[in-house]
Amino acid sequence: MSKACRVLLTQGAEQDLEAIHDYIAEFDSPKSARYVLDRLLATAEQLATMPERGGYPRELLALGIKDYRQVFFKPYRVVYRVFGREVIVVVIADGRRDMQSLLARRLLGA
């Protein structure tokens, strides 16, 4: 069995988590917000042992970009990139958002 990868969150991904938590805490409950935050972190941590399991985001695939993958904790998408033994989580977002422009801004600097 191969050695586990290190899972790291970019500053942007950490801000995404904070925004998701704050939104749910305000519009649902702090308990629900904590649950979703825990599940999103667990989803990201699972990438330590199986980083290749995620599919390619269709918005990036349409541009011919296969550097990023994604896994889901519905409706949220965890978008990441694998560098050797490190998994870098770059975006954690509600999949119902306009992912095309979010990914372009965050990943492509557009």
Side-chain angles (χ1 to χ4, degrees):
M1 174 132 169
S2 65
K3 185 174 168 292
C5 294
R6 273 183 41 194
V7 177
L8 305 168
L9 274 64
T10 61
Q11 185 175 356
E14 288 179 358
Q15 290 168 344
D16 293 339
L17 281 176
E18 194 174 316
I20 290 165
H21 177 274
D22 292 351
Y23 180 86
I24 296 170
E26 182 177 344
F27 293 101
D28 187 351
S29 72
K31 183 178 179 185
S32 293
R34 184 80 232 165
Y35 172 78
V36 171
L37 185 66
D38 289 346
R39 295 304 309 138
L40 286 169
L41 288 170
T43 298
E45 275 304 316
Q46 289 169 353
L47 296 171
T49 54
M50 291 181 45
E52 285 82 27
R53 75 170 198 207
Y56 300 110
R58 67 185 177 283
E59 297 86 352
L60 296 176
L61 211 48
L63 301 172
I65 299 171
K66 289 187 172 181
D67 297 332
Y68 298 90
R69 293 179 173 268
Q70 66 183 354
V71 290
F72 297 90
F73 172 64
K74 298 277 186 184
Y76 301 98
R77 293 166 66 175
V78 177
V79 180
Y80 64 97
R81 192 169 186 178
V82 180
F83 289 102
R85 305 299 316 152
E86 290 187 338
V87 176
I88 313 295
V89 176
V90 292
V91 174
I92 301 173
D94 187 323
R96 297 168 292 193
R97 286 181 59 185
D98 176 4
M99 292 297 286
Q100 187 78 45
S101 58
L102 174 65
L103 293 172
R105 267 195 324 275
R106 186 82 58 88
L107 308 179
L108 310 175

